[in-house]
Structures are given as C-alpha cells and as structure tokens.
Amino acid sequence: MATVEEGPLPYNLWQGESSSSSSSSNPLDAVLFGGMSLLIGVSCRTLLRRTTIPYTVVLLIIGIALGSLEFGSIYRLGKLGNGIRIWADIDADLLLAVFLPILIFEGAFSMEVHQIKKCMAQMLLLAGPGVLISTVLIGAAVKLVFPFDWNWKTSLLLGAILSATDPVAVVALLKDLGASKKLSTIVEGESMMNDGAAIVVYQLFYRMVLGKSSGCIAVLEYLAEGSLGSVMIGLVFGIASLLWLRFIYNDTLTDFSLALTVSYIAYYTAQEEAEASGILTLVALGMVFAMSKDTHRAGGKQSMHEFWEMIAYIANTLIFILSGVIIAQSIFSIGYLDNNTGRSWGYVFLLYIILQVARTIVVFAFYPALCYFGYGLNWKEAIIIIWSGLRGAVGLALSLSIKDASGDPKYLSSETGAMFVFLTGGSVLLTLIINGSTTQLLLSLFGMDALSESEKIMVNYAKHQLLRKAEEFSRICSGSNNPFDWITVGGYATCIKDVCEDTVWPPCTTNHGYLEINDMKTMRVCFLKATREAYWSTFNEGRITESSISVLMESIDEAIDLATQGLHDWNYISTRLKFPGYYKFFSTSVCPPRLTRWFVLKKLQDSCHICSAFIHAHRIARQLLLDYTGKSEYHLQIKRMWLIQ
C-alpha cells in the first residue's frame, strides 16, 4: 500500500503528557490488554449465548467504554491504559496484515463451493460495479452536502473507504444470527469481494490525491491489475499449496500450519510486493482450499474447521474491542479540533443516512439481475442485504492510514486525516449498533429465521422419538442398583420437553393421502443428507478415491437444490461417468499406448467406485429413513422417492 512520510500528530489529546507517560509505559502492558480483551470476549459469549444480541456489537461498545475512560476522562486505567495506548497507536497496515489473513481466509474457507458457484454472478455484480457506483454516490454527497473544503479526489477517497461492507463485521454477524445459507453466501461473498475491490479503488484515489496517477487509461489499467492480479496471486498460492498437500497423508498439523503460513505470505505478496488487493488474494486462496476440503478425511476436515473457527474467534474479539478503542480515540480527537462537537456528530448521522441510501440505490439498481442469476432474490432478501451493509475494522484501518500519512496541506492536512478517522469511526459505530442489533429483528419480522411447517413437524417428531427412547431406557434400567436418574437427565434434556404426543411424521396434508410438496422436499433433503454421511463413511474406510468423493459430494449439493422436483443426484453423476471429448486424443497414434491405458483405466476405476458408493449409500439412507418414519401408511410414498431414480 502506498504511503508517504509520516508527520506529527498534533491532534492527540495526550501529546502533552507523552514525556511523563512514556517513562512509566512498559511494552509488555500490551499483553495485558490482549489478555483482558480475550477474557471480555469469553465472558460476553457466555452471557449472550442464549440471546439474539450479536456479541461483536457488545465488544465494540465495551471497547468504546474503555477508550473513553482512557482518552476522554480524568480517570486512567493504569497498566491496562498503557496497553490500550500501545494498541491504539498500532500502524494501520500492520493491523490489517495481522488480522485480515485469518479472518478473510476463514470466511472464504468455510463457505460452500457449490453455493459460491451459484451466487458468483450476484456477488460480482455487487462487488464490481456496485463498489464503483457506491463510491461515486458517497463521494458526490460528501462534496456537495458537507461544508468541508475538500476537492473531488479527497471526497471520492472517503467514498472509497466507506463504499464496501466489511467482511469481518458481516461474517461475524451472520454466523451469530443463523441466517439462511443462501443469503449468508451472497452477503459474505459480496462483502469479501467488494471490500477487496474497495481497497483497490481506495489505493487508486489515494494515488490521485498525491498526484501520482491520472487519465482514464491509467485508471483502467490500475483497476485491472489490482483486481485480476490479486486473484491470480491467490490462485497460484492455492494451487501450489494443494500440490504440496498431495505428498502429505493424514497429517492435520501440517495442513493447519501450511494454510496459516500461506495466507500470510500470499497477503504480503499481493499487498506490498505486487501493490494489489490482499483481500481479493485471500478470498481466492480460501476458495481454492474450500474446493479441496471434501478430499480431507472426516476427522481432519472437522479439525480444520474447528482450528480456523477458534483463531477467527480470537481475532474477531481483539479487532472489535480495538475498533471500539480507536473510535473513542477519534471521537475525542475531533472534539479537540472542532469546538462544535454537536455539529460534528450531526455530520456523522448525516453520513450514516447517505450510506444507507447509497446501499439501497446499488442493490435495487441491480435487483432485476440479482433475481435472474443464481438462486434468485426476493424483496425481503434484498432488504436484508441492504441492512447488512455494515462498516467495520477494514474501513477504520484505511482511515487510520490516511491519518498517519496526513500533514502536508498540499495533499492532506492533519485536520482532514483526523476528520476521516472520526467520520469512518462514527459510521462503523452506527452501522454496527443500529443495523447489527436490529438485523435479527428484521429476519424475524420477515419470517426468514423460522422453520417451515413441515420442518417444525419433523423436529417435533424427532423430539417425540428421543423422549420415547429415553423413557424406554429408563424402564429397562429401573432397579435398586441402577445409577440412572431420569429426573436429573430430564433437567438437562430441555429440547424434548413440551412434546406433542400425537405428533406423526410424515404428515398427511392433502385430501388424497399424498404429501405436500414441502413435506416431500423435507424428506428428500433428509434422505440426501443421510446419503452424504454414508458417502463419508465409505471414503473414510478407504473404499473410494478423492476424485470420487468430490463428484459424489457435488451430486448431493445439486440434488438438494432440486429437491422440490425429485431426487436428481444420479442425473448429475451420470454426466460425470461419460468419457470427455478430449479422451479421443488418447486413441490417436500420437499418444503413447501406455499413457492411453493409464487415463482410460483411471476413468473406469473412478466410475466403478462412484457407482458402487452410490448403490451402497442409497441402501443405507433408505433403511435409515424407513426406520425413522416407521411402518406408516406413507411407506410406499417414501419408496417412490428413489424408484424414480
């Protein structure tokens, strides 16, 4: 990232005390702040576990409170305050380089590749043209509405910082609220991509402010190099890592270490050496790893997810508390520069409204295309996408880069740099508190976080079966020497309380004795998920290869999308069993016979493995579904689900 020589920071409130405080400050105090932040994060997660309040919002508020006590009051926090000051003065580029490789890679790695393919066009629309339109709208509003003496380049620079939703905040929010996977994929993927695109646009306008680039051709070349170059770097690192992992078998420690190492090296290579977008590089790298996660053994795959989830949780905790501290610092810093604090806060609320309007214009401008591509989009989901446009640590770090590089009135004055941090910090604060805390309410209002009627009946039936089995086990174990205490166990098994005794699955909802479409869809999805688990068992037993399990997993994903129409997993598999057209090349005299036999036999071997696993998994899933539903009058209807295969 391009930077200029740092100048003095006259707007720091504690500058006059630096000589006295530095003597008592100990660099090890930074460890105290990190430990306290993690303790606060664990406490918040424990207390908010049964609530719908996102813990990231609470962490931000706590960070603002700590920063306000240290920077804006006569009360000081001692050694903890020294640690807060050390963390608050961290270099913005270093802040991004430490946290982003973990958070962005984890978010991309945890996404479903099948759904990414379906939603790719929607994500690219919002992340490409959407970022440019949003930058122009926000920059124009700042230039025309705000009374700052900024030129168009400076206004558009602030627009670029605020144009993209922050993947750190959005991913953390959606994981807490449990939104649908389709909606989460669109919002998470768009936030990751458009944040990377926004950094490219930010670097472009930053260079223009410093007088380093101009002209349409130069601008287009820079945008193309910054975006496409970033993706290529991520693909190269990802493919090289997968080739490395092919020589390693069942070594999860090496898997973890390599993924973590490559994420940092790839980010540094793109951001510093190639002057591209490190975020786009991490997104491409994470997606490459996500495409290969079906080839891990069950234990290794689960361990990989748990590892990345743990370190992402630690990074989220630190970065949100630190963001609150930096926001508090910027609030009191601008209060020092501008005596009319109320007017400054009025600018923040006005900017918040501008951000929501710009986000609304971008989403509804592409609404027809968003409805056409991928899974489609309805108006409720479009509103959720608009309301999920949170700003977070990435934008705040970019504004800190402006503050650190400001000082030359010819380009960016110190007052302009401080105002950038204040406006960005205020926007982060308002979007996280207002939008972040009300997204769950909006999902509930639209009924997007509730189960369907058939799913509710199925859950109730599962609870009924659990209760019946538990009571049966209690009767079997009854006796004087029995240590089983049903009252104690029942106190923990809260999920099976208040169960309707007459719950039956599958339900009969038509006059003709046939199941409704939604009920049949639910049963098909259950059958397909049971088939998926059977595939995993077969793979873990070593009976099928990595290439075979990838095809089988993809067939389940495709079939779940078409569950309302029937079971279509075999339709997908049958297309993969055919010999591709390029195999004709192997039958020519140009290709050596030994190589021809190897390719043909490899294809036949994989086809046999796939067919064998398909028959075996379907038998297991069919028996599980019949055992679950029992000998009901819908026994024949259930069988018809796989007879049409």
Side-chain angles (χ1 to χ4, degrees):
M1 185 180 297
T3 58
V4 298
E5 185 178 354
E6 295 186 4
L9 303 178
Y11 45 82
N12 285 343
L13 289 177
W14 60 89
Q15 186 182 14
E17 305 169 352
S18 59
S19 59
S20 61
S21 62
S22 60
S23 59
S24 60
S25 178
N26 186 349
L28 293 179
D29 294 337
V31 179
L32 176 61
F33 174 73
M36 289 299 297
S37 298
L38 294 179
L39 179 61
I40 292 172
V42 173
S43 302
C44 291
R45 192 172 183 87
T46 302
L47 296 175
L48 302 175
R49 183 174 54 182
R50 300 186 183 277
T51 67
T52 59
I53 303 174
Y55 88 104
T56 51
V57 176
V58 179
L59 293 180
L60 183 74
I61 296 174
I62 293 175
I64 294 174
L66 292 175
S68 300
L69 288 175
E70 181 63 26
F71 298 130
S73 68
I74 60 175
Y75 305 100
R76 297 302 170 88
L77 300 177
K79 292 184 176 296
L80 179 60
N82 293 335
I84 289 176
R85 291 175 182 273
I86 294 173
W87 281 79
D89 290 337
I90 189 173
D91 182 77
D93 294 338
L94 179 61
L95 178 67
L96 291 175
V98 171
F99 290 108
L100 283 188
I102 295 174
L103 296 169
I104 303 300
F105 181 88
E106 189 273 337
F109 177 76
S110 62
M111 298 174 69
E112 297 293 337
V113 177
H114 171 74
Q115 293 179 332
I116 292 176
K117 294 178 181 178
K118 291 284 187 178
C119 304
M120 182 60 70
Q122 297 166 308
M123 294 186 293
L124 290 177
L125 277 176
L126 295 173
V131 167
L132 296 176
I133 295 175
S134 180
T135 299
V136 173
L137 291 175
I138 297 173
V142 170
K143 174 64 178 176
L144 300 176
V145 177
F146 284 52
F148 304 136
D149 189 18
W150 295 347
N151 55 33
W152 277 100
K153 295 178 181 178
T154 305
S155 301
L156 290 173
L157 179 61
L158 180 62
I161 292 175
L162 297 173
S163 62
T165 58
D166 182 29
V168 177
V170 174
V171 172
L173 175 70
L174 293 178
K175 285 185 178 180
D176 286 345
L177 299 183
S180 67
K181 195 64 180 177
K182 179 192 79 172
L183 185 61
S184 299
T185 301
I186 296 175
V187 177
E188 290 179 21
E190 180 248 338
S191 66
M192 291 179 187
M193 292 182 180
N194 74 3
D195 212 72
I199 289 183
V200 175
V201 177
Y202 154 81
Q203 292 173 332
L204 171 66
F205 284 112
Y206 183 65
R207 292 164 60 91
M208 294 175 65
V209 167
L210 299 180
K212 293 185 178 180
S213 63
S214 60
C216 294
I217 303 298
V219 169
L220 293 177
E221 289 180 353
Y222 184 82
L223 291 176
E225 293 175 358
S227 56
L228 297 179
S230 304
V231 174
M232 290 303 300
I233 293 173
L235 293 177
V236 169
F237 274 94
I239 294 173
S241 301
L242 295 183
L243 292 176
W244 188 338
L245 290 175
R246 282 187 176 273
F247 296 97
I248 301 170
Y249 177 77
N250 201 22
D251 189 351
T252 55
L253 182 60
T254 302
D255 289 352
F256 301 163
S257 303
L258 182 62
L260 185 62
T261 303
V262 170
S263 62
Y264 277 101
I265 295 177
Y267 178 84
Y268 178 84
T269 302
Q271 194 73 22
E272 298 299 326
E273 299 299 327
E275 294 186 358
S277 172
I279 290 183
L280 289 179
T281 297
L282 291 172
V283 171
L285 177 66
M287 289 184 178
V288 171
F289 270 82
M291 291 179 183
S292 66
K293 63 185 177 183
D294 284 338
T295 61
H296 291 280
R297 301 290 170 178
K301 179 181 178 182
Q302 183 65 24
S303 300
M304 179 77 81
H305 278 287
E306 291 175 353
F307 168 76
W308 280 105
E309 186 177 359
M310 180 193 68
I311 62 174
Y313 165 73
I314 294 174
N316 268 320
T317 301
L318 292 174
I319 201 168
F320 275 99
I321 293 182
L322 181 58
S323 297
V325 169
I326 295 175
I327 289 174
Q329 179 187 2
S330 66
I331 288 173
F332 292 105
S333 175
I334 198 65
Y336 175 76
L337 289 173
D338 189 356
N339 293 327
N340 194 343
T341 307
R343 185 177 63 180
S344 300
W345 277 105
Y347 298 155
V348 172
F349 282 98
L350 179 60
L351 182 60
Y352 169 79
I353 296 174
I354 292 173
L355 295 180
Q356 303 308 312
V357 172
R359 178 76 173 170
T360 304
I361 292 174
V362 168
V363 172
F364 280 101
F366 295 107
Y367 182 71
L370 295 175
C371 295
Y372 177 78
F373 292 110
Y375 292 106
L377 201 72
N378 56 43
W379 65 271
K380 294 181 180 179
E381 293 169 336
I383 293 177
I384 296 297
I385 291 177
I386 293 172
W387 202 244
S388 299
L390 308 180
R391 273 68 178 178
V394 174
L396 195 59
L398 294 179
S399 65
L400 287 174
S401 298
I402 298 296
K403 185 193 76 170
D404 294 341
S406 62
D408 189 350
K410 182 180 179 182
Y411 300 115
L412 287 170
S413 64
S414 299
E415 290 79 6
T416 301
M419 184 60 73
F420 265 55
V421 177
F422 176 73
L423 293 176
T424 306
S427 301
V428 171
L429 176 64
L430 292 180
T431 54
L432 281 175
I433 291 180
I434 298 176
N435 297 45
S437 61
T438 57
T439 302
Q440 177 67 60
L441 179 63
L442 201 60
L443 289 171
S444 301
L445 182 64
F446 290 155
M448 300 175 65
D449 61 343
L451 298 175
S452 64
E453 290 299 325
S454 59
E455 290 172 337
K456 289 180 181 178
I457 296 174
M458 184 176 182
V459 170
N460 288 331
Y461 181 74
K463 292 180 180 180
H464 180 269
Q465 294 288 80
L466 286 174
L467 181 60
R468 185 178 62 82
K469 291 291 184 181
E471 291 175 344
E472 181 180 349
F473 180 75
S474 176
R475 289 192 299 268
I476 294 174
C477 297
S478 61
S480 57
N481 298 324
N482 174 37
F484 179 78
D485 185 359
W486 169 244
I487 298 177
T488 303
V489 175
Y492 287 100
T494 57
C495 63
I496 59 176
K497 291 184 178 180
D498 302 327
V499 177
C500 298
E501 293 294 334
D502 57 347
T503 303
V504 178
W505 178 264
C508 178
T509 54
T510 65
N511 296 329
H512 303 287
Y514 289 95
L515 296 176
E516 289 282 1
I517 295 296
N518 291 333
D519 298 330
M520 184 62 74
K521 174 187 175 182
T522 302
M523 295 180 63
R524 288 173 182 146
V525 171
C526 292
F527 176 79
L528 291 170
K529 289 182 178 180
T531 306
R532 174 188 287 162
E533 294 302 317
Y535 285 149
W536 271 119
S537 299
T538 306
F539 177 63
N540 291 324
E541 292 171 0
R543 298 167 59 182
I544 55 178
T545 61
E546 295 179 354
S547 57
S548 300
I549 191 64
S550 298
V551 174
L552 294 171
M553 291 295 109
E554 187 70 19
S555 70
I556 295 296
D557 293 331
E558 291 285 346
I560 289 177
D561 289 342
L562 302 174
T564 55
Q565 306 172 17
L567 290 177
H568 293 279
D569 53 333
W570 175 252
N571 295 341
Y572 178 86
I573 291 175
S574 61
T575 60
R576 296 303 183 97
L577 297 179
K578 299 177 181 178
F579 280 88
Y582 61 82
Y583 269 75
K584 295 179 180 178
F585 170 77
F586 300 130
S587 61
T588 62
S589 59
V590 179
C591 186
R594 181 174 296 181
L595 184 63
T596 301
R597 286 195 299 270
W598 186 87
F599 275 102
V600 173
L601 290 177
K602 180 68 168 56
K603 180 66 177 178
L604 291 174
Q605 182 185 27
D606 290 342
S607 300
C608 291
H609 287 162
I610 292 172
C611 293
S612 176
F614 174 83
I615 297 173
H616 176 69
H618 271 241
R619 285 175 178 171
I620 295 176
R622 177 172 56 186
Q623 189 59 47
L624 287 174
L625 188 60
L626 291 176
D627 292 342
Y628 177 74
T629 55
K631 298 293 184 178
S632 63
E633 58 181 299
Y634 307 101
H635 190 86
L636 295 177
Q637 294 188 46
I638 298 171
K639 283 188 174 182
R640 291 182 65 245
M641 290 198 306
W642 54 79
L643 287 178
I644 61 174
Q645 294 270 99

